[in-house]
Amino acid sequence: MVGHERTRAKWATAFTPEEIAANLPPMLDLTIENITENVMKINSICDNPRLRYLVLKLVQAAHDYVREVGLQFDEWEQAWQFLTKVGQISTDVRHEFVLLSDILGISALVDAISYPAVPGATESSILGPFHDEEAHSFQYGESIASVGTAGEPTIVRGFVKDTEGNAVPNALIDVWETDGNGVYDLEYDGQEEPNCRGKLFTDGTGHYLFSCVKPVAYPVSNDGPVGELLRKLKRHWYRPAHMSRDSSFGVQKSLIVDYTWCEDLELAKQHNVNPVTKTIEGQESKGFWLLERDFILVKKSAPAPQKTQD
């Protein structure tokens, strides 16, 4: 059976021509004035309330945009060609559509709506395009960076608590970062094992600690259609140095934490961290970077009902 025959057979089992005709709204002679109304009527027969609501609002917003900007055919053609390229360059490790959503601010907006800020709790932030579920598990105090990874030694520690100040033992810490070259493991050709990322749990007191390398600023992938768009918009493509732990340092102001230089060589020895010598404020100093951050979690509650109408 060829492709179009399979398609016809599939839909033939779903609706009969009589059922389709019975559910169609009265058709109109299409004009600039009524084409939106007609499309809305056709999509209104959907029996999934949430899907119907999402599609109708999308159609209305998209048609309003086309009318407002006076979109021309060549511009529309460039738009769908751009989206086609976004899909073509995407892989299981390169998420160009996520990157596009990020630079348009949609990812941050969806996250803010889905996880509204709660007074006294750590704010949510977007995962970004480099999160990977395949990260290895680590024990308390271990390093998420492989031996020989480029970068300066760092220890990260803190507590996970609830909004009432109680410790949250056995809380999952899912963390990922660049190496000292500003590159994620997913971006290296031939990288077989995860690096500079990992999953670990808090201890009985809600405390967590792991070692790694200090991340640095890096450019987002800019060799594809999204990078081309950034160039046309005269926007840079660098992200500040940050470490992601479900919530990303540096995205929300309340999540910004400074690394401090630490000379506690006993702490370094205890966690197998090799100190380095650096010039700090004009003086040579042997030590490592220390990042301390507590997380305040909100107890899980029932999700808010989804809108199905205005």
Side-chain angles (χ1 to χ4, degrees):
M1 184 180 292
V2 296
H4 69 276
E5 291 175 337
R6 285 197 300 268
T7 301
R8 288 175 178 172
K10 175 183 176 181
W11 284 106
T13 61
F15 302 102
T16 65
E18 291 76 17
E19 289 173 327
I20 295 174
N23 285 319
L24 284 177
M27 299 298 289
L28 304 172
D29 291 330
L30 297 184
T31 66
I32 293 177
E33 290 73 25
N34 68 24
I35 188 171
T36 302
E37 177 187 359
N38 194 67
V39 176
M40 299 281 276
K41 286 181 177 179
I42 292 174
N43 289 311
S44 293
I45 64 177
C46 174
D47 58 4
N48 182 318
R50 178 62 175 174
L51 177 60
R52 180 175 63 245
Y53 180 71
L54 292 175
V55 171
L56 293 182
K57 298 298 285 188
L58 175 61
V59 169
Q60 185 68 64
H63 283 223
D64 288 346
Y65 170 81
V66 170
R67 287 191 178 89
E68 182 177 352
V69 302
L71 194 69
Q72 300 299 300
F73 186 87
D74 61 323
E75 295 170 325
W76 169 79
E77 190 172 37
Q78 290 175 33
W80 66 253
Q81 288 177 347
F82 169 79
L83 293 176
T84 299
K85 292 177 182 178
V86 171
Q88 290 172 335
I89 202 171
S90 297
T91 67
D92 57 345
V93 296
R94 176 169 181 164
H95 308 294
E96 195 81 356
F97 268 110
V98 176
L99 182 59
L100 176 60
S101 176
D102 289 349
I103 72 161
L104 295 178
I106 296 174
S107 302
L109 180 58
V110 171
D111 186 84
I113 292 173
S114 300
Y115 308 103
V118 175
T122 302
E123 292 182 73
S124 174
S125 188
I126 60 175
L127 286 177
F130 292 108
H131 179 257
D132 186 6
E133 290 291 348
E134 301 303 317
H136 290 169
S137 295
F138 293 87
Q139 298 299 313
Y140 179 96
E142 290 186 330
S143 175
I144 65 169
S146 303
V147 175
T149 299
E152 298 179 349
T154 302
I155 287 179
V156 183
R157 65 185 181 183
F159 286 93
V160 177
K161 304 176 182 179
D162 63 22
T163 51
E164 297 175 355
N166 302 309
V168 181
N170 206 38
L172 173 64
I173 304 292
D174 188 354
V175 57
W176 60 103
E177 62 166 359
T178 70
D179 60 16
N181 295 322
V183 180
Y184 284 95
D185 55 354
L186 300 177
E187 298 179 286
Y188 281 110
D189 292 333
Q191 179 79 31
E192 296 182 356
E193 295 293 329
N195 189 23
C196 292
R197 68 175 67 243
K199 298 178 180 180
L200 59 150
F201 293 88
T202 56
D203 65 12
T205 68
H207 193 258
Y208 70 90
L209 185 149
F210 62 91
S211 60
C212 57
V213 296
K214 186 183 181 186
V216 298
Y218 67 93
V220 299
S221 301
N222 56 73
D223 58 341
V226 174
E228 181 181 351
L229 177 61
L230 288 173
R231 279 187 284 273
K232 290 181 177 179
L233 294 174
K234 306 298 182 184
R235 289 177 57 178
H236 74 81
W237 43 69
Y238 273 86
R239 298 193 69 197
H242 67 275
M243 180 175 293
S244 302
R245 276 185 280 178
D246 286 343
S247 297
S248 176
F249 291 120
V251 177
Q252 300 280 7
K253 183 178 291 187
S254 64
L255 297 178
I256 296 176
V257 179
D258 287 331
Y259 289 82
T260 57
W261 183 250
C262 182
E263 298 177 333
D264 187 344
L265 302 185
E266 283 300 317
L267 179 62
K269 181 179 180 181
Q270 182 181 353
H271 296 289
N272 299 313
V273 171
N274 296 319
V276 295
T277 300
K278 290 179 63 68
T279 300
I280 304 295
E281 297 181 352
Q283 300 291 326
E284 279 198 353
S285 173
K286 189 174 185 179
F288 57 93
W289 293 103
L290 179 65
L291 180 62
E292 297 180 290
R293 182 63 159 94
D294 293 344
F295 287 92
I296 310 301
L297 303 184
V298 179
K299 292 182 179 179
K300 190 174 182 179
S301 59
Q306 294 180 322
K307 292 178 65 175
T308 57
Q309 60 184 3
D310 291 329

